[in-house]
Amino acid sequence: MSAVRGGQQGDTTRLFLAALSAEGLKLRTVRSTWWNLAAVVALSVGIGFLYGSVIKGNYADFGAKPEWDAVGYGFAGTNVAQLALVCFGVLAVGAEYSAGTVRASLTAVPRRGVFGAAKLTAVAVTAFAVTLPTAVATFAAAQTAMGERQNAALGDPGAVRATVGLAVYLTLLCLISAGVTMMLRSTVLALGILVPLFFIVSDILANLPGVGSVAQYLPNVSGAQILRVVPDDRVDVGIWGGLGVLLLWTAAALCGGLVALRRRDA
């Protein structure tokens, strides 16, 4: 019995690796992948440099304040860059549904759980492989532009954590986008929900009296606390609590996507 079970596990592993390789090939051969990921790099590094340039020389207004967070401010522009990564996550899943090629993929990999897990893994690995060096480059660009009086060094307390945290944060938002798209099976519908939620609705709700205490548990609001060295007093969940909230949102989106994939017709 154990030999049979071991053989089944080996077959599942081989099928998953083969499906993962196929999903990686799909991502590499789709033009939108390269455009979206290039936009992530350009927007993150470029806006980080611009933010740093804006405050250069204004030490009295920024660096002299005890609550000044040079690291967090340098990463503030990534809320624009994450739009491109959300689009990448949506298109990586939704393109097959829009074109109808998901049927061919499920014929090649009939075990839907394996197919879904391979697709989501390929999205996560690609996103993290791009966002980690992008985070380091953004940190370097922003802190260099700020000038020595008010910038931070990578060796400062919390700087490495926030830099790696940026890559984790962006990757998890990308996975949420992929999971939601797998549930909805529509690129347009997924973008129509996620883009306003992450870039308009969350900011409005976070600043409304009586609603902000609830809005802080939205994935992008709570998760963004990992980018800071000085905690935001307006958000009660804290740095690691915020990451925990983001992880819960990610797990819910991925589970929902996989359940929908297994239960619905292609």
Side-chain angles (χ1 to χ4, degrees):
M1 181 67 70
S2 59
V4 173
R5 189 179 298 113
Q8 291 175 342
Q9 291 175 348
D11 291 341
T12 300
T13 300
R14 285 191 292 271
L15 180 60
F16 172 78
L17 292 176
L20 180 61
S21 177
E23 293 302 322
L25 180 61
K26 290 178 190 177
L27 291 178
R28 293 193 299 271
T29 54
V30 175
R31 188 174 301 175
S32 63
T33 296
W34 299 102
W35 282 110
N36 281 313
L37 296 180
V40 172
V41 178
L43 289 170
S44 182
V45 177
I47 296 177
F49 183 82
L50 289 175
Y51 268 54
S53 299
V54 167
I55 65 170
K56 184 177 182 180
N58 298 317
Y59 181 77
D61 294 330
F62 296 98
K65 296 181 178 180
E67 69 275 14
W68 169 241
D69 187 350
V71 176
Y73 195 90
F75 290 150
T78 55
N79 61 344
V80 179
Q82 71 191 28
L83 173 61
L85 203 61
V86 167
C87 291
F88 164 69
V90 170
L91 291 173
V93 174
E96 283 200 272
Y97 286 101
S98 300
T101 55
V102 67
R103 297 183 183 91
S105 296
L106 290 174
T107 300
V109 188
R111 297 177 64 174
R112 296 191 176 198
V114 173
F115 168 72
K119 180 174 287 292
L120 294 171
T121 300
V123 170
V125 170
T126 302
F128 189 75
V130 171
T131 56
L132 183 58
T134 299
V136 176
T138 302
F139 178 90
Q143 302 309 317
T144 299
M146 284 182 196
E148 295 182 357
R149 294 193 72 190
Q150 53 227 351
N151 67 359
L154 198 58
D156 291 347
V160 171
R161 184 263 302 156
T163 303
V164 176
L166 174 59
V168 173
Y169 166 74
L170 291 175
T171 300
L172 292 178
L173 283 187
C174 182
L175 278 175
I176 290 175
S177 304
V180 169
T181 307
M182 194 172 284
M183 282 189 280
L184 300 176
R185 300 189 297 176
S186 169
T187 299
V188 175
L189 188 56
L191 288 175
I193 292 174
L194 294 171
V195 171
L197 175 64
F198 288 158
F199 306 103
I200 301 174
V201 177
S202 60
D203 289 337
I204 294 175
L205 293 179
N207 290 287
L208 286 178
V211 182
S213 58
V214 177
Q216 67 177 322
Y217 293 101
L218 291 173
N220 58 313
V221 177
S222 59
Q225 303 312 304
I226 194 68
L227 314 183
R228 301 181 60 88
V229 171
V230 180
D232 189 346
D233 293 336
R234 298 170 299 176
V235 180
D236 297 331
V237 294
I239 292 173
W240 296 112
L243 179 60
V245 172
L246 179 58
L247 286 169
L248 289 175
W249 278 100
T250 305
L254 296 182
C255 289
L258 291 173
V259 169
L261 176 65
R262 296 185 68 173
R263 292 186 177 182
R264 296 179 186 174
D265 293 335

